[in-house]
Structures are given as C-alpha cells and as structure tokens.
C-alpha cells in the first residue's frame, strides 16, 4: 500500500508553526517514514505545479497554518482544498486569525501611511507601491489586503490543530488520527473538551465565589504562583479558552491570553470572557455588584478588544461584521 | 535575445524575490531584492496595553521570538524607568544565551553549512541538513538535535513555551528557579561549550583546510567595505543582552558609541517604492545609495559586524577564537561576507561560556524576581543583539500605559542594504554577456544566506534552502530566465 500523502503550507504567519513541527524532533522522523510529504515549501523543494498535477482529493491531509492575507494565499489554499481529502487548520492564525488578526482594527491606508510616513526614523515620505519604476525598470510587489481572514472563512476546513504554536502532543494527536484513519467528526478541534480553568493547576485555588473590587494588570502586582489569577483581579482568559496547551503560560506564572481559541460550545471568545468577568466582579456573599460598579471596572481595562480578542478577532462576531462590510463593498 | 524560462513555478509568498536587469551587452545593469510582505505590527500594536507587547511582538518571528520578547521587555523597563532585580536580570540573560546558542546552531547546521560542508557545487538535492549529516555522520546530526532540544528546554522552563515565551515583565521576570534547575542548566551549559568547540573544529577541518572554500571566503565576490554596528559592554566586548551601541568605520576605527535612547540621532531609514523592507543607514553620513565605502551610510549588523565593532569577546575561549579568526582573515575589521558563518560560531561559543558563568552563580536561585513599576509611563526604548543584528523596540504611551507610538527596528533590516549590494555584486560577477550560469542561484543565495536573513521574519527555510525566486530580464525587459526554489 502506498503511503498517505501529506502537505504542509503556510500563509501569513511567523514561522513558529514550522518550528513546532521541527520541534517534534525524533517523532518527526518517525512520522516522516510513514507518510509521503508532497508539499512543504519551507522545507522541501516541491512546486505548485507538482500539486496541480495531483488528482483531486489525492492528498490525504493538508495542514495549513497562517492567516489569509493575500490573493495568492487564497488561490493556494483553494488548490490544496481541491487536491486534499481533508484540510486541517494548523495553529492560532489559521484557526482563529491569531495576533496578526488584530490588524483588522485598522484600515490598510493607515497601515502604509503610519509605517512609511509617520515613523520618526523614516527619512522621507516614500511609500512602497504595487507597481513602481526604478532606473527605468518596472518592479512589482503584491498589494496588501484589507483584512485578515481565518482559514475556514476562506475554504472548507475539516479539523483544527489549535495553539500559538501548537504543542507537540496536540500535533502528534492530529497526525496519528490521520495515520490510523481514526477520524473524529468534522469540525473537531484536536484538543481538550474542557476549558482551561478546568485543567488549570491553580484550579483548586480558584474560589467558589469571587470578590474582585479592582482589576490589576500583570505588571502592577506580584502574582502569587499559588493563586488563581482572576481571584487576584488579574485578567486571565482561562474561563473562555479551550484547554490542551499544557497550561504553559500558567506554568510560567503568566495569565492565559487565549491562543487555543474559544472553549467548547463557545462561539465568541471575547464575549464569553467579558460575561465571565462581569459575573465574577464584586460579588460578595450577599452583595451583588451594581451595573455602575461593573462598568467602572470594565472601563479600567485599557484595551478590552485587544485583550479579550488577542488571538480571535477575525473569528469573532466583531470580525464577522467587518468582513460582511467588506463583502458588501466588493459586491 | 531569446526568452529562457526555467521551471516556471509559483512565487513563494512572504519571501525574497530578486530581479536582475541586463544591459544591451548582456551584463548586469541593476539588481533588486524585493520583500513582498508586510504585516504591520507597528500599527496594530497601537492602542494596546504596553505590558502585552512582550507577548505580541514575538509573533513577528517564530524562529527568533526570544529576541523580540527580550527587546520588548527591556523597552518596558525603560518605559516605567524601573531596573530588573539582579536575579531577574541574570535569568533574562540565561534565557538569552540559551537562545543565541540554539539559534546560531540552527543556522550553522541547517542553513549555512550545507554550502560548505556539502559544498557549493553539490547538487541542490543534497545541499541540506541530510547532506550535512551524511558528511559529518549521523551521530553529529543527533547531537545537534539533542543540543538544541536541551537548550530550548531552558527557554521553555522560564518562558512557559519556547516558541513565543511569556515571562518578561517590566522590572523583572515572572518565574525563577531552584537549585535543581540551576544545576540542570549548568550541565547544559557545559555541554554547550563542548558543542560549540566541536562546531568550530568541524569548521576548521572541513572549511579552512579546503583551499577552494578559503578562496571563496576571502575572494572579492563576497566582500564589502562597510561600517559595522553592535552592542558592546564597558570594555567594548561583544554583548547580546545590554550595553552601548558601537559603530566602527571600514578601517575599524570607532565612529560612534551611543546609548540606545539616542538611536534616532544615529539611524535613519531609507525606503524604495519597490520593497516593503526599509534600509537603515548612518544618519550622520547619509544615504548615498546601495554602495559601500566610508562615504556611504550603509552599515552591517549580525555576527561578523558585532565582532568587527568590538574589541573582542568577554569569555576566555571565545576571545581566543576571535583572535584566531581575524588573524586568518587578514586582520580586523574583516569585510568578507562569508566570514559571517565563522563569526557565528565564535559567538555561539561566547554565549555558551556566558551561560555557564551565569548558571554557576548560586545566587540566581533568589526569589527576588520583580521590581514593581511606580512611575508614570511615557517613553521606552529597548535594545538587544538578535542573532541577526541590533534589534530596537521604541514605544510611547499615554499615562495609562496605552501605546500611541511604536517603532520596531527589526534586526534583518539592518543588513537590508548590504544584502542588496551583495546580491548585485555576486550577480555582476556571475553573469557576463548574457550568459547565465545555473550555478548563479546558489552563488547568489550564498551571498545573502551568510547574513542569515529572516525576511518578513518568515523565510527561515529549515533544511537549508532559502525559498527564493530570481528573475533575469534582458535590456528590452523580457524575462530571459527564472530560477526558483
């Protein structure tokens, strides 16, 4: 029997997802023996034309990381979709938009103006152009797109391997499922079915009832490693985030920022954490926080969008609105 | 001129693209290295809480996240005008040294050495890590993998994760270590020193004993007389974590030495409409185009530049290797671009020795990890030497610590002008009268692989090949050759 064909591809990403695959070390060599890698631009010298030659659905699975930012990326993932039986979104950017998704709060024109005109080290106001001339030579660079999209806003996605970057055990779990043909229902996120709070090492320290009078930012207080961040008034995205990361930020005594995406049955990670926090605020035994108190506390958060949607803005309800507006503009 | 197209494949997004134009005689007229991607971190960081920056900016690059994490953390120290505790400062440097060794090892074994260990003329298919392992033996391959794994485990211990660590806070770090972990790190450091020495020996045996390679390294194709920049300590020795920025001129004389807070007086950025990358230069000399020499503001950063800009290494063995290297290269400064590979190994040894110094210090198990900020934030600037050069983060905030100005001088940018020049020079030497040799792709690649560039911070090609497209046009602008990988 021939080995199953596997493809890896990257879109707008940092290279961390590729590092994560390389960090499988010996396990990677074992996996590599069992599969036939037909496309992996960062590592192997196969071309797009090689993929085009393959018959439809002949790639067993394509792992695609990075958010979708350019037309080229869109074309490439459409091609991979056609040639693959399954597609897995790999890493936070493909899954929920990731950190570059924060760019969706800014218009493209502002981006170019600020970077090439406003920053103080710029020596003039030259801005790069898609088409330009230098010494009479015509030169071309791709245009920057308006918005960042997740993979499943671009093509049909079967599975998700979450995390920024995905940890080794989650990657292996996903790979093994494909190799053994033991596939869960479509749409499965290869991680825990619990929220991070449920698996957090500080879980037992989480009080049943919270009484947060004041919110603190991580640099403002010395966190007690034995205490739940939220109980200290430090915002942690644990209640709204899927578990499976190995509680790695918590182990470094830092609060969760949500790279695994919304916890199961939660659609909008930011809305969920907002409601979770609101419900925790200022509730003493008898006393219920007034609306005024809640809004005062929420106002004390300097950047709620960036904090609550640090990784998931493109995948959120807010992102949907922006995207729909864009589609309307284009139609 | 007939149009020749070789393997017309897709462009690899986010990576380098080189356009070469020939004149009517078929010689190189112009060459351009274009960077086709921009993600805009300086823009979407605006409005964010500054303390989140050490968690946001590492996503610029998944290969060197620790450099951004550290530059950002140091910018926060400065923003709140708060020094880290002594313990925290040492822990940060431990993390940083572990990172420098593993990143330099990645580059040397996976990216750079295929050109030398396997050979510049070897078939492309074998010029990768597998080819290197074949040449140096499977045991060595395993040793490289194992060493990187253990060094990366140090970053994971403190930072929670090695890809995008999270432990940096203004005035300190979020996690300390106990005596067991200290001993563990000390053990890794000892092995890292052996590993670095072994790598230098391998370089001597395989590269320096080969006359052809030495000729290539010291030849004119890969040489540029430029200024050099790097961080130095109070004795002008190379330092990765802290110090003053020192610049030497092409003769090796000190041109400037300044605190990073004054970087705006010394560094400006030139731009071209045809690339998203910027080209920094020495403001006091000025931008004179893509040209080298004392009258051009173009400077270089990263391993060879750091060694050139210093008076040596602060540790015993690395300092000896530093002296030996410049002796072989015919004096200091050295302008041979391919010697970046060698300087990288000298730095690897320094980082390993420094890691041992720091981890042998029993006082680092102190629990005094944080100083709490008290001052109102306004402006913060942080600098580190990233593996690929001087990296500066510059932030301004309102009084709540919400960012309203962010400028990131990414390390690879520091070499952007020089890389363009190196490519042009290599192309000029290799393309004559319209005759385009198939060797050109690798020879041109070698010109810029020496810099270990991290274009769009995503072009790291792990097993030894830089995703790259090279287009050559005749004088009537017809595409005559397209080379890609």
């Amino acid at each position: 029997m021939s080995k199953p064909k596997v493809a890896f591809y990257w879109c707008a990403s940092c290279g961390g997802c590729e590092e994560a695959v390389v960090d499988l070390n010996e396990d990677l060599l074992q996996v590599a023996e069992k599969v036939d890698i037909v496309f992996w631009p960062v590592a192997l010298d196969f071309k797009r034309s090689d993929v085009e030659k393959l018959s439809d659905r002949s790639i067993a699975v394509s792992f695609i990381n990075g958010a979708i930012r350019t037309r080229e990326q869109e074309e490439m993932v459409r091609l991979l979709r056609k040639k693959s039986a399954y597609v897995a979104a790999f890493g936070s950017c493909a899954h929920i938009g990731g950190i570059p998704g924060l760019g969706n709060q800014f218009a493209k024109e502002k981006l170019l103006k600020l970077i090439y005109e406003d920053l103080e080290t710029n020596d003039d106001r030259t801005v790069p152009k898609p088409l330009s001339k230098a010494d009479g030579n015509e030169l071309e660079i791709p245009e920057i797109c308006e918005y960042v999209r997740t993979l499943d806003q671009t093509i049909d996605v079967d599975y998700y391997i979450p995390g920024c970057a995905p940890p080794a055990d989650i990657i292996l779990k996903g790979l093994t499922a494909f190799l053994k043909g033991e596939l869960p229902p479509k749409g499965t996120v290869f991680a825990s079915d619990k929220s991070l709070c449920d698996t957090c090492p500080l879980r037992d320290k989480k009080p049943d009832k919270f009484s947060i009078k004041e919110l603190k930012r991580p640099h403002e207080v010395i966190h007690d490693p034995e205490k739940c961040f939220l109980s200290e008034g430090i915002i942690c995205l644990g209640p709204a985030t899927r578990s499976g990361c190995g509680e790695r930020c918590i182990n470094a005594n830092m609060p969760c920022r949500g790279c695994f995406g919304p916890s199961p049955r939660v659609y909008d990670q930011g809305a969920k954490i907002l409601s979770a926090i609101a419900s925790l605020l200022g509730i003493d035994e008898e006393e219920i926080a007034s609306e005024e108190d809640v809004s005062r506390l929420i106002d004390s958060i300097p950047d709620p969008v960036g904090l609550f949607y640090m990784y998931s803005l493109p995948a959120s309800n807010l992102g949907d609105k922006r995207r729909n507006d864009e589609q309307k503009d284009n139609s | 001129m007939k149009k020749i197209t070789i393997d017309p494949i897709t462009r690899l997004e986010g990576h380098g693209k080189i356009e070469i134009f020939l004149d009517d005689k078929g010689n190189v007229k112009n060459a351009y290295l274009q960077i086709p991607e921009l993600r805009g971190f300086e823009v979407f960081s605006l409005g964010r809480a500054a303390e989140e920056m050490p968690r946001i900016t590492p996503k610029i690059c998944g290969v060197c996240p620790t450099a951004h994490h550290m530059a950002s953390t140091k910018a926060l120290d400065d923003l709140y005008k708060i020094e880290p505790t002594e313990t925290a400062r040492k822990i940060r440097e431990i993390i940083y040294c572990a990172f420098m060794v593993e990143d330099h090892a990645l580059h040397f074994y996976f990216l750079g050495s295929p050109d030398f260990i396997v050979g510049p003329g070897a078939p492309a298919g074998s010029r990768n890590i597998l080819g290197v392992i074949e040449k140096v033996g499977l045991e060595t391959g395993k040793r490289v993998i194992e060493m990187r794994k253990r060094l990366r485990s140090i970053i994971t211990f403190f930072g929670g994760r090695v890809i995008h660590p999270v432990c940096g806070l203004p005035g300190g770090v979020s996690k300390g270590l106990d005596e067991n972990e200290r001993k563990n790190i000390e053990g890794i450091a000892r092995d890292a020193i052996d590993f670095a020495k072994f790598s230098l020996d391998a370089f001597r045996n395989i590269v320096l004993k080969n006359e052809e390679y030495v000729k290539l390294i010291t030849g004119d194709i890969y040489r540029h007389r430029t200024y050099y920049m790097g961080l130095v300590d109070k004795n002008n020795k190379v330092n990765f974590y802290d110090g003053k920025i020192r610049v030497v001129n092409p003769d090796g004389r000190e041109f400037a030495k300044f605190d990073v807070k004054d970087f705006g007086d010394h560094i400006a950025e030139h731009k071209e409409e045809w690339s998203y990358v910027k080209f920094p230069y020495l403001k006091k000399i000025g931008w004179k185009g893509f040209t080298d020499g004392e009258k051009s503001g173009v400077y270089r950063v990263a391993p060879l530049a750091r060694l050139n800009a210093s008076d040596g290494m602060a540790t015993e063995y690395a300092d000896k290797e530093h002296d030996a290297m410049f002796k072989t290269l015919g004096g200091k400064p050295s302008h041979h671009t391919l010697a970046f590979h060698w300087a990288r190994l000298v730095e690897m040894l320094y980082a390993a020795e420094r890691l041992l110094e720091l981890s042998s210090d029993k006082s680092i198990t102190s629990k005094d990890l944080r100083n709490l900020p008290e001052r109102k934030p306004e402006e913060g600037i942080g600098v580190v030497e990233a593996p690929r050069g001087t990296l500066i983060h510059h932030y301004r905030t309102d009084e709540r610590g919400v960012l309203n100005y962010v400028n990131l001088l990414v390390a690879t940018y520091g070499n952007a002008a020089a890389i363009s020049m190196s490519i042009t020079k290599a192309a000029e030497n290799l393309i004559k009268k319209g005759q385009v040799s198939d060797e050109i792709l690798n020879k041109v690649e070698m010109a810029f692989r020496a810099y270990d560039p991290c274009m769009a911070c995503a072009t790291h090609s792990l097993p030894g090949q830089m995703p790259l497209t090279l287009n050559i046009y005749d004088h009537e602008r017809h595409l005559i050759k397209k080379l890609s990988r």
Side-chain angles (χ1 to χ4, degrees), chain A:
Chain A
M1 207 180 89
S2 66
K3 294 177 183 175
K5 293 184 172 65
V6 173
F8 292 96
Y9 192 68
W10 59 358
C11 297
S13 66
C14 69
C17 284
E18 330 290 325
E19 276 273 356
V21 173
V22 172
D23 274 350
L24 296 174
N25 295 319
E26 304 85 14
D27 290 332
L28 176 63
L29 299 178
Q30 280 183 18
V31 170
E33 278 172 15
K34 291 178 193 150
V35 301
D36 180 10
I37 300 176
V38 292
F39 193 53
W40 192 12
V42 69
L44 302 169
D45 199 13
F46 298 109
K47 316 294 188 214
R48 178 181 176 152
S49 55
D50 297 320
V51 178
E52 281 167 347
K53 279 181 218 145
L54 297 169
S55 47
D56 288 358
R57 296 177 63 82
S58 65
I59 300 172
V61 55
S62 285
F63 295 95
I64 301 176
N65 74 62
I68 309 300
R69 196 80 212 241
T70 68
R71 290 279 169 251
E72 278 174 319
Q73 287 161 351
E74 190 173 334
E75 277 171 32
M76 200 61 219
V77 299
R78 284 191 199 287
L79 175 66
L80 285 168
R81 175 67 270 184
K82 199 169 146 217
K83 301 295 179 184
S84 310
Y86 295 102
V87 166
F90 189 104
S92 304
C93 296
H95 178 205
I96 48 178
I99 294 276
L102 291 172
N104 284 5
Q105 277 186 293
F106 298 87
K108 179 180 82 175
E109 292 67 34
K110 181 162 180 182
L111 194 132
L112 290 172
K113 181 183 178 302
L114 193 138
I115 291 181
Y116 295 100
E117 297 186 41
D118 297 352
L119 293 180
E120 289 159 14
T121 41
N122 290 327
D123 63 356
D124 63 14
R125 306 183 80 81
T126 303
V127 177
K129 290 181 186 162
L131 278 171
S132 62
K133 266 195 171 181
D135 313 309
N137 304 306
E138 277 179 16
L139 293 158
E140 195 184 345
I141 44 177
E143 216 166 323
I144 302 294
C145 284
E146 288 289 344
Y147 296 111
V148 173
R149 280 174 296 163
T150 67
L151 189 61
D152 68 6
Q153 288 164 352
T154 314
I155 57 168
D156 190 37
V157 170
D158 301 292
Y159 299 104
Y160 301 87
I161 295 178
C164 180
D169 62 327
I170 299 272
I171 300 173
L172 283 174
K173 194 171 153 187
L175 282 169
T176 312
F178 284 108
L179 287 177
K180 289 190 174 167
E182 292 168 0
L183 288 167
K186 183 173 167 157
T188 295
V189 179
F190 281 106
S192 166
D193 276 337
K194 294 175 171 159
S195 79
L196 185 66
C197 283
D198 294 333
T199 60
C200 181
L202 305 172
R203 185 182 168 213
D204 297 340
K205 315 285 173 17
K206 189 178 168 187
D208 293 337
K209 286 184 178 169
F210 280 79
S211 177
I212 306 171
K213 301 285 182 205
E214 205 183 346
L215 291 175
K216 298 279 188 191
R217 289 155 68 181
H219 67 292
E220 291 173 337
V221 282
I222 294 182
H223 158 70
D224 178 350
E226 298 297 312
K227 280 189 180 156
C228 161
F229 284 97
L230 283 166
S231 73
E232 293 181 304
I234 300 168
I235 291 183
C236 174
L237 265 57
T241 301
R242 184 184 292 271
S243 180
C245 56
E247 296 77 35
R248 46 195 182 174
C249 295
I250 308 291
N251 289 331
N253 299 327
M254 291 294 278
C256 171
R257 287 293 175 258
C259 79
F260 260 55
S263 47
R265 292 167 295 282
V266 168
Y267 175 72
D268 190 296
Q269 199 175 7
K272 168 73 183 168
I273 189 68
L274 185 62
S275 70
I277 288 167
S279 73
L280 297 174
L281 287 175
I283 304 177
D284 277 339
E285 298 275 332
E286 307 86 27
E287 187 188 332
I288 289 174
S290 69
E291 254 179 56
E292 205 178 293
D293 285 345
V294 172
S295 94
R296 178 183 55 80
L297 281 170
I298 297 294
D299 281 348
S300 74
I301 301 169
D303 172 30
V305 172
L307 185 56
F308 297 159
Y309 295 96
M310 190 173 274
Y311 287 87
S312 67
L313 191 58
S316 70
N317 286 327
L318 301 178
D320 272 356
K321 190 186 171 302
R322 288 299 283 270
R323 231 173 13 261
N324 293 339
D325 290 349
E326 183 188 17
Q327 275 160 8
K328 265 181 235 153
D329 290 348
N330 291 342
S331 59

Side-chain angles (χ1 to χ4, degrees), chain B residues 393-445:
Chain B
H393 281 208
H394 182 190
Y395 310 151
R396 279 194 207 112
T397 69
D398 65 13
E399 58 177 29
R400 295 175 79 197
V402 174
L403 291 154
N404 52 34
Y405 180 87
V406 175
N407 194 2
L408 309 169
L409 274 80
V410 176
T412 291
Y413 280 21
N415 278 331
I419 291 171
S420 275
M421 286 152 48
S422 294
I423 286 164
T424 306
K425 193 164 181 183
E428 280 169 355
N429 278 280
L430 293 157
I431 301 172
K432 297 281 182 199
K433 293 182 185 162
Q435 293 301 305
V436 182
S437 134
D438 274 343
E439 272 178 56
I440 184 176
L441 183 59
N442 193 49
K443 289 272 173 69
V444 169
E445 235 188 294

Side-chain angles (χ1 to χ4, degrees), chain B residues 136-154:
Chain B
V136 296
L138 185 61
E139 282 313 303
T140 304
K142 283 185 177 163
R143 189 171 173 185
V144 176
I145 289 172
E146 184 64 18
M147 196 68 241
R148 286 195 73 231
K149 193 173 162 182
R150 290 173 68 207
L151 286 158
R152 285 167 77 80
S153 78
I154 298 175

